[in-house]
Amino acid sequence: MPYAIPKIPKPKTAKPNTAYLIANGDLRLSANQVCWPAQEDMERRVIAAFAQEGVKVIRAHPYDPELKHGFIWNQRMGMDVFQNIPPDAPLIVAEAVWQYSYHILPGLRDHRGPILTVANWSGQWPGLVGMLNLNGSLTKMGVKYSTIWSETFEDDFFRKAIRQWIRTGRIKHDTSHVRPLNLDRLPTAERKLGLALAEYLKRRKAIIGVFDEGCMGMYNAIIDDELLNPTGIYKERLSQSALVAEMRNVTDEEANAARQWLEARGMTFKTGTDEATELTDWQIREQLKMYIAAVRIAADFSCDAIGIQYQQGLKDMTPASDLAEGLLNNAERPPVYRRGTNEELYPGRPLPHFNEVDEGAAVDALVTNWVWTAMGFDPATTLHDLRYGEHYKDEKLDAFVWVFEISGAAPPSHFIDGYAGAVSERQPPMYFRLGGGTLKGISKPGEIVWSRVFIENGALHADLGRATVVELPREETERRWQMTTPQWPIMHAVLHGVTRDQMMARHKSNHIQVAYAPDAKSADKALAAKAAMFAGMGIKVHLCGDVKVG
């Protein structure tokens, strides 16, 4: 009997002056349906722009009338779509929404033609965030790509860029703001501190507790042990099911006591009675049970930091993890005791949480915690999404101001008025079916160090820079909230010596890590010590923009 040898289809041939377009989406149907009109509008503009340059754009997959959207929404679909794309054809990945990168990475890994990632410059849906995650994933994977963004797709910046891509297959952006760290040029005291902390970390070693890897398809957020362990950091692989089980052991009285602690410090919970659309007392109680359970499990395994995936695993089992995450990142927080005892766990200090189990953020948060603590600064740190930004001008300020936002995991010490300035509002039902509140506030004016750990060419890298958090008029903050996600904490950041387009061209993640210092001089010193610690851990450090050290 003859063997059943599969018939391998012959790849399609690329046509001249033709490009293919794909739209990667969410795994959550509700998000894809709600966000589809913005994606459709963007694609129309992109296709028209290429047509004016003499290039026909073919959409590689159709709109699905039953699903009511035209996104690639799972990995198998992505693999199948690429079967019909000529492997040498120019390929456009158009993103106006958050997208799960892993849906299309198999096809992009094998694609031989030029790849262009495109996002609309809009805060409405996190298309910019999605594109940056895809860019970081492609960088980790070693796949060459070009990237571009635009508000109208008619501006000179965009038109010039796509002409270059059509002609050469590459877009060259200005990244002159980036320079390699010169360790010998760091201030002596901060260099010694950072290197000593790195050596101590390698000898003592640290544990990051990972409650399930691979949140929302973020391939770039996973650091393999072979890269991570030489820095001195090891993973404790934990299960989100164990977190839910431990939540069941937390009593209502313990959760209620945590809420009373928060309300006594001025935090506001905006509650209602409709579980489907409003924040309820039950949701808050479950979130605080998660907070207590997470601390207890972390203590069981002696974790130095933890990360909870939540999406997708917990979204159908328990309310949002964001309230717990923001509390974990704060030094002052409701006390948690070891089961059945009066022993307080991690007293008087944060238990750093890396949101969405982003392991690049985990390395960063751990290093920040150690450096800031050694320097006597508040070690509260968080990641944010690079969500959006606009130029702002009034009698006090004339600068491009970024909107940094994350889904509620920011620490209250970052907010104006701390807990008294914190509000918990129900998470959007589109993403969070079982609700739960955020930890929302407006980040206080001050000096910060920003950073990002990423993977490129099989090695760990870190970008570091400085920024100033500014306070905008309340009406401007509200406007920016309403055009993004008004339930989430917001930071108004002005980067030092890095333009909008330089940041977009260089940054290898949807996430950016931030931490405050008491003043500008202290922030420069903290950046120096952090750079030295990264370097001592074997991480390749790059300084971005106006950095006065190194």
Side-chain angles (χ1 to χ4, degrees), residues 163-436:
R163 287 186 195 120
Q164 186 181 38
W165 186 73
I166 292 167
R167 186 177 67 254
T168 68
R170 299 298 300 274
I171 296 174
K172 184 175 176 58
H173 289 291
D174 174 19
T175 56
S176 59
H177 65 292
V178 182
R179 71 178 192 269
L181 171 69
N182 184 335
L183 195 62
D184 293 334
R185 294 183 62 186
L186 291 177
T188 301
E190 287 71 39
R191 182 178 72 247
K192 287 183 177 179
L193 172 62
L195 292 176
L197 288 171
E199 181 64 22
Y200 180 68
L201 173 61
K202 287 185 175 183
R203 293 193 180 191
R204 174 196 178 269
K205 304 190 187 332
I207 299 171
I208 58 171
V210 180
F211 284 94
D212 295 338
E213 284 184 315
C215 181
M216 295 190 290
M218 290 190 284
Y219 168 79
N220 69 316
I222 301 172
I223 302 177
D224 291 338
D225 293 35
E226 288 73 19
L227 283 180
L228 185 65
N229 296 165
T231 69
I233 300 174
Y234 289 74
K235 298 180 191 179
E236 188 71 54
R237 289 176 168 86
L238 303 168
S239 170
Q240 295 198 114
S241 60
L243 182 61
V244 175
E246 184 63 32
M247 287 170 62
R248 294 172 180 166
N249 295 328
V250 179
T251 66
D252 288 351
E253 290 75 18
E254 289 174 310
N256 291 338
R259 179 173 177 177
Q260 291 167 7
W261 188 99
L262 294 169
E263 291 177 330
R265 283 152 183 79
M267 185 170 174
T268 301
F269 292 88
K270 292 190 175 181
T271 59
T273 57
D274 183 359
E275 295 284 357
T277 60
E278 297 177 306
L279 178 62
T280 66
D281 292 334
W282 173 82
Q283 292 171 16
I284 298 167
R285 190 160 52 246
E286 288 296 295
Q287 288 184 289
L288 292 171
K289 286 184 178 182
M290 182 186 292
Y291 162 69
I292 294 169
V295 174
R296 287 175 174 166
I297 292 176
D300 288 343
F301 292 93
S302 300
C303 293
D304 297 278
I306 61 170
I308 302 169
Q309 184 194 98
Y310 190 73
Q311 304 277 15
Q312 290 284 332
L314 293 185
K315 73 174 176 57
D316 297 314
M317 299 181 69
T318 186
S321 58
D322 299 280
L323 175 59
E325 295 166 2
L327 297 177
L328 291 168
N329 280 328
N330 214 56
E332 182 191 14
R333 51 188 174 78
V336 178
Y337 304 97
R338 195 176 297 278
R339 304 170 195 85
T341 75
N342 293 322
E343 179 192 352
E344 185 176 353
L345 303 173
Y346 302 92
R349 58 192 175 101
L351 170 57
H353 182 277
F354 43 104
N355 196 32
E356 298 166 352
V357 287
D358 183 340
E359 292 165 9
V363 174
D364 203 323
L366 185 67
V367 169
T368 300
N369 181 272
W370 284 32
V371 170
W372 265 240
T373 298
M375 298 182 76
F377 303 158
D378 175 14
T381 181
T382 186
L383 61 79
H384 278 283
D385 283 335
L386 279 84
R387 181 64 181 267
Y388 181 61
E390 289 183 12
H391 196 93
Y392 180 80
K393 183 178 181 180
D394 62 13
E395 64 278 4
K396 297 179 181 179
L397 182 66
D398 184 2
F400 186 88
V401 181
W402 283 91
V403 173
F404 292 170
E405 278 186 355
I406 195 57
S407 57
S413 69
H414 282 196
F415 300 158
I416 296 172
D417 298 327
Y419 278 109
V423 180
S424 189
E425 300 179 7
R426 193 200 192 279
Q427 287 281 20
M430 175 176 69
Y431 295 124
F432 300 87
R433 184 178 67 84
L434 296 182

Side-chain angles (χ1 to χ4, degrees), residues 88-151:
D88 295 322
L91 179 65
I92 302 166
V93 186
E95 297 300 342
V97 303
W98 172 254
Q99 54 86 52
Y100 281 46
S101 293
Y102 85 101
H103 293 168
I104 57 175
L105 291 180
L108 292 173
R109 188 184 291 274
D110 294 336
H111 194 75
R112 298 194 299 272
I115 297 168
L116 178 65
T117 64
V118 184
N120 59 333
W121 194 264
S122 169
Q124 180 188 18
W125 308 121
L128 293 166
V129 181
M131 185 187 75
L132 285 171
N133 178 263
L134 180 60
N135 290 352
S137 296
L138 289 169
T139 298
K140 175 186 174 181
M141 204 161 63
V143 172
K144 292 182 179 181
Y145 66 95
S146 297
T147 187
I148 195 61
W149 46 91
S150 177
E151 184 176 350

